[in-house]
């Protein structure tokens, strides 16, 4: 496929997710990750340019770390989805995830827009689960909600530890401020985790 074809597919997934995901539901692991690597490579170049060349290593590091993050988080989501009726095997699932999230990855570097794109990515993930892997709507929603709930629990546990430790040193006010920031950051990060891999967390 010519490079223009890859970018056309990324735009199609953003603009017409149901049709585009149905078209690529048989995407292989390597083909799907090619989309994601290409998208994050472009972002790496943009980040390097924006920093006047001081972040040149990002051209390589960003796509590598983002793709590893996508594979890890994608595998976790696949395990949950498989239990709830997903018909796709892990390679196909990760490949389809790579295609589905590549357009979102292209937008992830833009301030504010990246956050909105991550939230929209949750909808695309829902479409991917229902249209691309044969899951029922309720099962797909539960698959998305489980990581959110787990992350929220993690946020509460960490916040409680922060309050306890700082409170013991008489820093109650600081503990309250940090708890609010930490809880908001962790619970808000789930969209980025699912859509852009570990490097896409929106703290």
């Amino acid at each position: 496929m010519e490079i223009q074809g890859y970018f056309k597919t990324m735009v199609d997934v953003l603009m017409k997710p149901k049709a585009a995901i149905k078209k690529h539901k048989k995407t292989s692991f390597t083909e799907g990750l090619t989309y994601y690597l290409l998208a994050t490579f472009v972002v790496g170049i943009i980040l390097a340019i924006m920093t006047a060349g001081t972040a040149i290593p990002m051209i390589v590091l960003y796509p590598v770390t983002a793709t590893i993050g996508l594979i890890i988080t994608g595998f976790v989501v696949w395990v949950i989805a498989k239990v709830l009726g997903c018909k796709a095997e892990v390679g196909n699932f990760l490949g389809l995830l790579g295609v589905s999230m590549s357009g979102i990855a292209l937008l992830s570097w833009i301030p504010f827009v990246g956050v909105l794109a991550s939230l929209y990515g949750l909808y695309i993930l829902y479409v991917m689960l229902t249209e691309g892997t044969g899951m029922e709507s309720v099962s797909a929603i539960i698959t998305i909600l489980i990581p959110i709930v787990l992350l929220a629990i993690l946020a509460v546990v960490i916040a409680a530890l922060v309050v306890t430790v700082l409170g013991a040193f008489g820093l109650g006010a600081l503990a309250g401020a940090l708890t609010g920031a930490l809880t908001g950051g962790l619970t808000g990060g789930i969209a980025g985790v699912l859509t852009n891999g570990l490097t896409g967390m929106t703290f």
Side-chain angles (χ1 to χ4, degrees), residues 10-94:
M10 294 178 197
V11 173
D12 286 345
V13 171
L14 290 173
M15 303 300 294
K16 300 174 289 185
K18 288 187 178 181
I21 287 172
K22 280 184 178 180
K23 181 179 179 181
H24 293 275
K25 65 188 302 182
K26 298 298 183 182
T27 299
S28 67
F29 175 77
T30 52
E31 182 183 2
L33 290 190
T34 299
Y35 281 91
Y36 197 74
L37 275 169
L38 179 60
T40 51
F41 178 71
V42 170
V43 174
I45 293 175
I46 293 172
L47 293 176
I49 293 173
M50 290 176 62
T51 58
T54 58
I56 287 180
M58 290 296 288
I59 296 176
V60 175
L61 291 177
Y62 187 85
V64 171
T65 55
T67 302
I68 291 173
L70 187 79
I71 292 172
I72 293 172
T73 53
F75 180 77
V76 172
V77 174
W78 174 77
V79 170
I80 298 170
K82 197 68 175 176
V83 172
L84 294 174
C86 171
K87 298 176 182 178
E89 295 304 320
V90 62
N92 174 225
F93 186 92
L94 293 176

Side-chain angles (χ1 to χ4, degrees), residues 122 125-126 129 139-149 190 194:
L122 293 179
L125 177 60
Y126 167 79
L129 292 173
S139 297
I141 292 172
I142 294 173
T143 298
I144 295 171
L145 287 178
I146 286 176
I148 294 176
V149 171
I190 186 62
L194 292 178

Side-chain angles (χ1 to χ4, degrees), residues 56-185:
I56 287 180
M58 290 296 288
I59 296 176
V60 175
L61 291 177
Y62 187 85
V64 171
T65 55
T67 302
I68 291 173
L70 187 79
I71 292 172
I72 293 172
T73 53
F75 180 77
V76 172
V77 174
W78 174 77
V79 170
I80 298 170
K82 197 68 175 176
V83 172
L84 294 174
C86 171
K87 298 176 182 178
E89 295 304 320
V90 62
N92 174 225
F93 186 92
L94 293 176
L96 185 56
L97 185 65
V99 174
S100 301
M101 295 299 126
S102 56
I104 297 296
L106 276 178
L107 302 176
S108 63
W109 63 276
I110 307 174
F112 186 66
V113 173
V115 177
L116 294 178
S118 291
L119 294 174
Y120 181 56
L122 293 179
Y123 168 70
I124 292 182
L125 177 60
Y126 167 79
V127 173
M128 188 201 96
L129 292 173
T130 54
E131 302 292 338
T133 73
M135 293 186 72
E136 298 291 335
S137 294
V138 174
S139 297
I141 292 172
I142 294 173
T143 298
I144 295 171
L145 287 178
I146 286 176
I148 294 176
V149 171
L150 292 177
L151 192 61
I153 292 173
L154 176 63
V156 171
V157 171
I158 294 177
L161 290 174
V162 170
V163 170
T164 301
V165 172
L166 293 182
F169 289 94
L171 301 172
L174 177 60
L178 287 177
T179 298
L182 183 61
T183 303

